[in-house]
Amino acid sequence: MRTSIFFTAIALIPFAMSAPSRRPSFYPRQNCDNGTADTTTPDEPAESTTPLCDLSGVQQPPSSLPPPTADMSLVLVALGQGTQNYTCSNATAIPSSIGAVAQLFNASCEISSNPTAGTASLGSIEETASIGAHFFLDNTTPDFDILGLGNTVAKKINDVPAPDDATKNVKWLRLEAQTGSSSDVKMVYRLNTVGGMAPASCAGSAPGEVVTVDYEAQYWIYT
């Protein structure tokens, strides 16, 4: 994983809008009139991302996150590849999180056949078409826009340190869908993270610089 610095101060949503061109055509667009996110989904394709592989018996990797409740069904496991984003107020500050941007790829069949598959082993599916995008509406509000599922505005409910290397890999999360979502998604778990941790300090950074750190993760999505 690499760390890179952009030498202009940019807000998170415009940054999200510069995500790679493989994002789906219904990726949320910024409203240029007021600077807010427009989460309408024009011309969303009718095809679904519902996996052909059975996820009904698949169990999450062990963690201390509260498990999904019995009334929830695992409908998708997505590989997310992108960047965790941070900003520096000054050279002596600690980098502050301003969200993330990632493309999503359907990893359901790979996880169905091997529930313990590590994130790094799923890299080959990035050659398939992206099924959606993960981004932030503001510095603390994650959003998932996924073909066939719709748009899910989420809120972090729980987090735990990554069990393998918490100094390099961002935390595992439990996210709950919020009012305003167009999907039937109830819960999203970020698991098996690789990379994404902020640098230890802002040394050498000018005020307003944005630091991006590559990361990958599995997003387990429940309805």
Side-chain angles (χ1 to χ4, degrees), residues 13-30 45 81 101-105 128-135 145-147:
I13 293 300
F15 178 78
M17 297 313 299
S18 64
S21 60
R22 289 174 66 185
R23 70 186 183 227
S25 61
F26 56 95
Y27 190 83
R29 305 155 296 160
Q30 185 178 11
Q81 294 184 325
V101 175
Q103 291 187 90
L104 301 176
F105 303 89
T128 64
S130 171
I131 61 168
H134 168 46
F135 53 97
D145 210 26
I146 299 176
L147 179 65

Side-chain angles (χ1 to χ4, degrees), residues 29-102:
R29 305 155 296 160
Q30 185 178 11
N31 185 324
C32 296
D33 293 330
N34 58 23
T36 61
D38 176 3
T39 56
T40 57
T41 55
D43 303 321
E44 181 173 347
E47 62 183 291
S48 173
T49 58
T50 302
L52 299 176
C53 304
D54 183 13
L55 292 171
S56 59
V58 175
Q59 299 296 314
Q60 290 183 6
S63 79
S64 57
L65 290 171
T69 56
D71 62 331
M72 294 183 188
S73 298
L74 179 62
V75 296
L76 176 68
V77 178
L79 171 66
Q81 294 184 325
T83 60
Q84 293 288 318
N85 306 318
Y86 305 91
T87 189
C88 289
S89 58
N90 57 68
T92 61
I94 301 298
S96 176
S97 175
I98 53 172
V101 175

